[in-house]
Amino acid sequence: MSSPAVRYVAIGDSFTEGVGDELPDGTVRGWADLVAQGWATSSGAPISYANLAIRGKLIWPIVREQLEPALALRPTHLSFNGGGNDILRPRTTVSHVTDAFAHVLRRCDEAGVTLILLSGANPSAQLPLRRLIQRRGDELSDAVVARVAGRDDVVRALNWPDRELARPPYWSQDRLHMNTRGHHRVAARVLAALGQDAPEEWWSLPETHAADHLRGAAYYRAHVGPWVQRRLTGRSSGDGRRPKFATWTTVTPA
């Protein structure tokens, strides 16, 4: 039996791993898993799918640890996103991040792989230091787009400018990761960029109840404090984690 014609591998951080879109058994799903399913369903044919993303990763560790193992799988398509964790660190320059995107594009060119380029969604409206995060995110988004100017072969799913996706109902309690609703909208945007059809409801699932979101001191205790503690101790939320799909899994049409 021949292998699927589409072989899609995803690399990145918590955004691509799927944090915020937790299933009842505690595992994470996320937009990349949804894209794989939606792509198979829209095309009417199975696809091969792998996901090497690990939460908490800075952009160059993503490139060093995930890119070559992903290309070794001989994919037809590779999606890449990173930099969200980097822009939260004041010493990180935009060129440090965009150089990583340029490197991934060069390696995809050398391997004959179609790059699916994503920007993360914009969480700044509900975060501390929102103006700083907004400014740095705008600079990074513009710089990445400039790096791929004239490359019509690069599939673009740019979520940072999506004002609807920036609204609080698309975000989880920590305000930094999208919830199930947000991941479905990103998946719909990626499928549209690929020329595939996404279920119409993925663009805007019903809102979750606003009371589910922590506020004030409760939010800082639950989410900001642990984040600061990890920075001070040099730890990452991804320490010790393994990719959820390190080798090909076959996704069939729904």
Side-chain angles (χ1 to χ4, degrees), residues 38-63:
W39 199 344
T41 300
S42 175
S43 64
I47 75 166
S48 293
Y49 170 57
N51 188 325
L52 279 59
I54 298 288
R55 66 192 68 181
K57 293 291 184 182
L58 299 173
I59 194 163
W60 276 102
I62 292 171
V63 173

Side-chain angles (χ1 to χ4, degrees), residues 10 12 24 49 72 79 94 96 100-102 104 111 117 182 205 212 219 237 239 245:
Y49 170 57
S79 68
V94 170
H96 174 79
F101 281 88
V104 172
L117 182 66
L205 297 179
D212 293 337
Y219 167 72
S237 58
D239 288 347
F245 299 120

Side-chain angles (χ1 to χ4, degrees), residues 129-161:
L129 302 176
R130 60 177 59 87
R131 291 182 180 177
L132 175 63
I133 294 170
Q134 175 75 56
R135 177 177 60 80
R136 288 173 65 84
D138 288 345
E139 291 172 354
L140 175 59
S141 181
D142 291 345
V144 170
V145 170
R147 285 291 183 109
V148 297
R151 290 295 304 267
D152 293 339
D153 56 322
V154 174
V155 178
R156 295 168 174 80
L158 303 177
N159 299 287
W160 186 265

Side-chain angles (χ1 to χ4, degrees), residues 36-202:
Q37 183 61 70
W39 199 344
T41 300
S42 175
S43 64
I47 75 166
S48 293
Y49 170 57
N51 188 325
L52 279 59
I54 298 288
R55 66 192 68 181
K57 293 291 184 182
L58 299 173
I59 194 163
W60 276 102
I62 292 171
V63 173
R64 289 194 298 267
E65 298 166 14
Q66 300 175 26
L67 178 60
E68 295 306 321
L71 293 176
L73 294 173
R74 299 176 60 85
T76 58
H77 296 75
L78 180 146
S79 68
F80 173 60
N81 170 265
N85 292 310
D86 298 77
I87 67 171
L88 298 175
R89 289 160 170 77
R91 295 186 181 89
T92 300
T93 64
V94 170
S95 62
H96 174 79
V97 177
T98 55
D99 285 350
F101 281 88
H103 177 81
V104 172
L105 177 57
R106 178 178 63 80
R107 287 294 294 120
C108 284
D109 285 346
E110 291 170 351
V113 175
T114 297
L115 176 62
I116 304 171
L117 182 66
L118 290 95
S119 60
N122 183 354
S124 62
Q126 58 264 5
L127 286 177
L129 302 176
R130 60 177 59 87
R131 291 182 180 177
L132 175 63
I133 294 170
Q134 175 75 56
R135 177 177 60 80
R136 288 173 65 84
D138 288 345
E139 291 172 354
L140 175 59
S141 181
D142 291 345
V144 170
V145 170
R147 285 291 183 109
V148 297
R151 290 295 304 267
D152 293 339
D153 56 322
V154 174
V155 178
R156 295 168 174 80
L158 303 177
N159 299 287
W160 186 265
D162 186 346
R163 293 185 178 181
E164 174 66 15
L165 191 55
R167 295 177 55 238
Y170 291 91
W171 295 84
S172 62
Q173 281 194 359
D174 67 6
R175 308 182 193 176
L176 191 60
H177 298 98
M178 294 177 304
N179 58 20
T180 295
R181 192 174 191 236
H183 278 281
H184 277 79
R185 183 172 177 88
V186 169
R189 293 178 62 84
V190 175
L191 288 168
L194 289 165
Q196 303 294 326
D197 295 323
E200 186 62 32
E201 64 271 17
W202 285 16

